[in-house]
Amino acid sequence: MFKRSFRSADRVDKSARLKKSNTNTVRDPQKLSKLQRSLEETLPVKKTLNSPIVTLTVGREARLFAAHEEVLAQSPFFERACRDQYLEAQSKRISLPDEEPEIFSAVLEYLYKGDYYPRLLHNKHRNSWELEDAVGSPDPSENNRAGRGAVEATMYVASVNQYLLRDTVVYCAADRFGLEELKRLALRKQGLQSGIDVATILRSAQYAYDNTPDTDSRLRAHYLALIIRCRKTFKRSGTMQTEMERGGKLFFDLFVAMCNHLDDVVEMSNARTPKTI
């Protein structure tokens, strides 16, 4: 049922790298002006943003990003970060060493445009939602691992040294930044994915458990429901057996969810069976 997904190419982030040997370049007025013009060109509708530009260094390699303060302020996390910096307008800088540059690029795109690539599009002919540039997988073989057709479903996450489902990583970042609508969008996009191998799903599920609070009731439930729905495939998987033997909260929650599912099935069966005295 599951085909293999392939590694994502680095589609995002054409930002310049921040040279550690010369941190003063971050505050170069010419660079900030160029970044501001670039940001304004990305807006779906031409707007005049008069707020200061905030520079951000992201990831282990300190990639340089820039955004208008009023755009960042849509996120409670960044609103607090900007408010707490009592500096001159052009000197505001935020460091995010633990974030993934590719994912932060998607978050920034969402803050400016209300979506991130691939966009969620409504197909009027089919009256259904689909992902921009998505096409059917041309080859079901394992050697041609297609996740969303032309759109890669996975990305390399340096912090865990693994390939994970991109929308899951976006969801977890949105949770850290307090962007509830982005969480809903990421989850909806992930629901449109198909052809993902079992190992990738389990790795991504474990990442979701490691990077969301215990109160999360959406992304975690999504993975539990997926495993239960496709239980025959997961039951045959050696990866599933290995991960279950390692244990973790994911598999306890899965056990509880499967028990609840079984109870529902039994209850429905009893409701259809005529009672005898």
Side-chain angles (χ1 to χ4, degrees):
M1 178 174 181
F2 291 94
K3 308 164 197 168
R4 289 188 176 272
S5 58
F6 195 52
R7 303 176 178 180
S8 69
D10 188 5
R11 309 184 62 92
V12 213
D13 188 9
K14 296 182 181 179
S15 305
R17 295 191 178 203
L18 178 64
K19 300 290 185 182
K20 293 183 179 179
S21 59
N22 187 11
T23 55
N24 291 331
T25 57
V26 179
R27 301 183 185 181
D28 189 327
Q30 290 185 342
K31 287 192 175 183
L32 287 175
S33 177
K34 185 177 179 180
L35 284 167
Q36 183 166 9
R37 289 196 302 272
S38 176
L39 288 172
E40 289 172 350
E41 289 171 0
T42 66
L43 294 173
V45 179
K46 192 69 176 176
K47 295 180 180 179
T48 302
L49 293 174
N50 298 318
S51 65
I53 292 292
V54 179
T55 57
L56 306 103
T57 54
V58 182
R60 297 177 180 179
E61 297 180 352
R63 288 196 182 183
L64 176 63
F65 289 81
H68 294 88
E69 184 173 345
E70 66 183 280
V71 173
L72 289 174
Q74 298 174 78
S75 157
F77 175 90
F78 290 114
E79 194 276 331
R80 288 192 300 271
C82 292
R83 187 183 63 229
D84 292 344
Q85 293 194 23
Y86 301 102
L87 302 172
E88 294 181 5
Q90 299 299 332
S91 299
K92 290 193 174 183
R93 183 169 54 182
I94 298 173
S95 178
L96 302 169
D98 297 325
E99 297 297 330
E100 299 291 332
E102 181 178 347
I103 293 302
F104 183 75
S105 180
V107 172
L108 205 55
E109 184 179 4
Y110 167 80
L111 290 174
Y112 272 95
K113 299 181 178 181
D115 203 345
Y116 64 93
Y117 183 83
R119 293 178 300 162
L120 189 64
L121 303 176
H122 184 251
N123 187 321
K124 294 182 179 179
H125 179 69
R126 297 181 178 179
N127 192 28
S128 61
W129 292 91
E130 58 189 35
L131 295 170
E132 178 182 24
D133 294 338
V135 296
S137 176
D139 186 350
S141 69
E142 291 189 355
N143 293 328
N144 183 19
R145 301 190 289 172
R148 294 187 266 190
V151 182
E152 297 293 353
T154 61
M155 62 163 287
Y156 176 73
V157 180
S159 60
V160 293
N161 193 29
Q162 292 178 330
Y163 282 86
L164 305 173
L165 288 173
R166 187 169 182 264
D167 293 315
T168 286
V169 188
V170 169
Y171 181 104
C172 294
D175 185 72
R176 288 192 294 276
F177 298 143
L179 296 167
E180 291 299 319
E181 287 300 324
L182 179 55
K183 288 168 63 177
R184 280 188 277 270
L185 178 62
L187 192 58
R188 190 166 190 179
K189 287 185 176 184
Q190 180 152 306
L192 294 175
Q193 295 175 4
S194 62
I196 310 299
D197 66 287
V198 169
T200 299
I201 292 173
L202 291 176
R203 287 197 305 270
S204 301
Q206 191 60 63
Y207 180 89
Y209 265 76
D210 291 341
N211 291 274
T212 56
D214 289 341
T215 54
D216 179 79
S217 60
R218 282 179 280 182
L219 184 59
R220 294 185 178 195
H222 166 82
Y223 278 109
L224 297 176
L226 173 62
I227 295 172
I228 292 172
R229 186 169 64 249
C230 305
R231 55 192 176 276
K232 290 183 179 179
T233 300
F234 282 89
K235 185 173 66 174
R236 295 192 301 267
S237 169
T239 304
M240 182 68 171
Q241 178 180 347
T242 301
E243 292 299 321
M244 290 192 75
E245 288 173 352
R246 290 178 183 174
K249 193 173 190 307
L250 164 63
F251 296 102
F252 175 77
D253 285 356
L254 179 60
F255 167 74
V256 173
M258 294 193 77
C259 288
N260 291 337
H261 174 71
L262 182 59
D263 289 343
D264 291 341
V265 171
V266 170
E267 186 175 336
M268 290 176 62
S269 177
N270 290 340
R272 290 194 297 266
T273 303
K275 295 182 178 180
T276 58
I277 300 177

